[in-house]
Amino acid sequence: MTIHTGIPSFDAFVNFLLLIFVSYPILGAFCWLIGLMCYQLIYRHRIVNYNKMSQKDEPFITIMIPAHNEEIMIEQTINYLMNNLNYTNYEVLVVDDGSKDRTPEILQRLMIKYHNLKVVRIEKNQGKAHAFNIGLAFTKGEFVLSNDADTIPEPDALWKYMNYFDAKNGKNIAAVTANMDVQNRDTIIAKSQTVEFASIVGVIKRSQVGVFGNMYAYSGANTMYRRDALIDVGLFRQDRATEDISIAWDHQISGWSTVFAPNIFFYMNVPDNLRSLFHQRQRWAKGGTEVWLSNFWNIFTHPFRFSRQIAFMIDNTFSITWSFFYFLTLILFCLSFAEFLVTGNYDQLAFMFAMSFIFVTFEMFAGLLQLSSALIVDDRARKFKYLIFMPFYSLIYWQVNSLAVVTTFIPAIQTIRGHGNGTWVSPTRHLQ
């Protein structure tokens, strides 16, 4: 499909953009592969062999759990954190953000059981970012691990995190975010997220820090923050849908470094049905659009000052506009299909399907290359067996993610204009 208006320069520009949008998923996959190679070969913060810390050298760490209506998972998570970590010098601080279920009762009982468990109660639900900011005033640790109520880090996670902060070039590191993995692999949707975390999230984060030394977003479910770096940027923005994306941008724009640690794993409870998945992706998409709207003008008017953020902003711009482009072309495809079918223009119908088949084939090949490479690199290829879920991921997740961007664009604009809030609704949990 090409556009002809009779103005050569305009036609050339528009058709070039059209080509970019059509090939964006394919080009993106190859760009992330190049970034992955940069990370594997030259990234200076990469650690393969971690040094175990002695107890006397352990910095004090606060594990903070912002919680709202978490009666299903909170006890299991706290019991794990208290008994399974290979670290001694830490506390667990739960900020109960206006829970209306049995969460307060469970926490009261656990406080009797564990001496290093503290609970701060907020009567009115005001959101995860607000809960984290309030809780920070009660922390004792120089380092603060953000840990969701349905998330558990690997037993060696805390001292592995410290390897980055204690390195000679680690004094300017604001945060280290770990590698996401899935706890509840009991449905196809959940199994597909194993592929996504390894291929999309893992590869993208490796690429970003390998090439630019920063990342677009932290993993809010399990990231270790330097407390002073949080204070330096004014803590978390309380009116944003995703506090982990906004704080990552605040850190990098303020000159802090951020690190992705692919060899530190944490395991989270993920959506296991389409409705929960769509709600999750709406929150992620809205947060990404909010960051894009907040920083677009500042970054593109100061390209030399924010040279490392330019690539993030360009990719984010294409990602958002491609989502609208995808649904617009999908509508045009359906209308053309109906027209050719009704008019009996079967030659055009066959041509349309042939071109679509060629495009999808190239796209699936690029996706297969990215996913297989990522699964080989991630966790010593232990998750390579999940590659069989790639077709489902490509068919379902791409639609859900794109639709989430389109449906949350206007709400994101309203947030930037001062009409947003960070209140949250706890997702459906299932005890593992």
Side-chain angles (χ1 to χ4, degrees), residues 58 60-65 78-85 87-94 107 109-120 138-141 158:
E58 292 178 350
F60 192 83
I61 294 173
T62 297
I63 302 175
M64 191 187 300
I65 306 176
I78 291 176
N79 284 332
Y80 177 91
L81 294 174
M82 291 298 184
N83 298 300
N84 294 84
L85 298 182
Y87 203 88
T88 58
N89 198 23
Y90 71 98
E91 65 177 355
V92 177
L93 171 63
V94 181
L107 293 174
R109 173 163 47 81
L110 291 173
M111 285 180 68
I112 299 173
K113 183 178 180 180
Y114 300 113
H115 72 279
N116 57 335
L117 172 63
K118 297 193 301 189
V119 177
V120 176
F138 296 89
T139 59
K140 291 170 56 181
L158 297 190

Side-chain angles (χ1 to χ4, degrees), residues 249-268:
W249 277 76
D250 289 342
H251 275 152
Q252 60 181 280
I253 288 176
S254 298
W256 289 93
S257 296
T258 59
V259 174
F260 175 56
N263 294 323
I264 303 177
F265 289 92
F266 69 92
Y267 304 89
M268 61 185 296

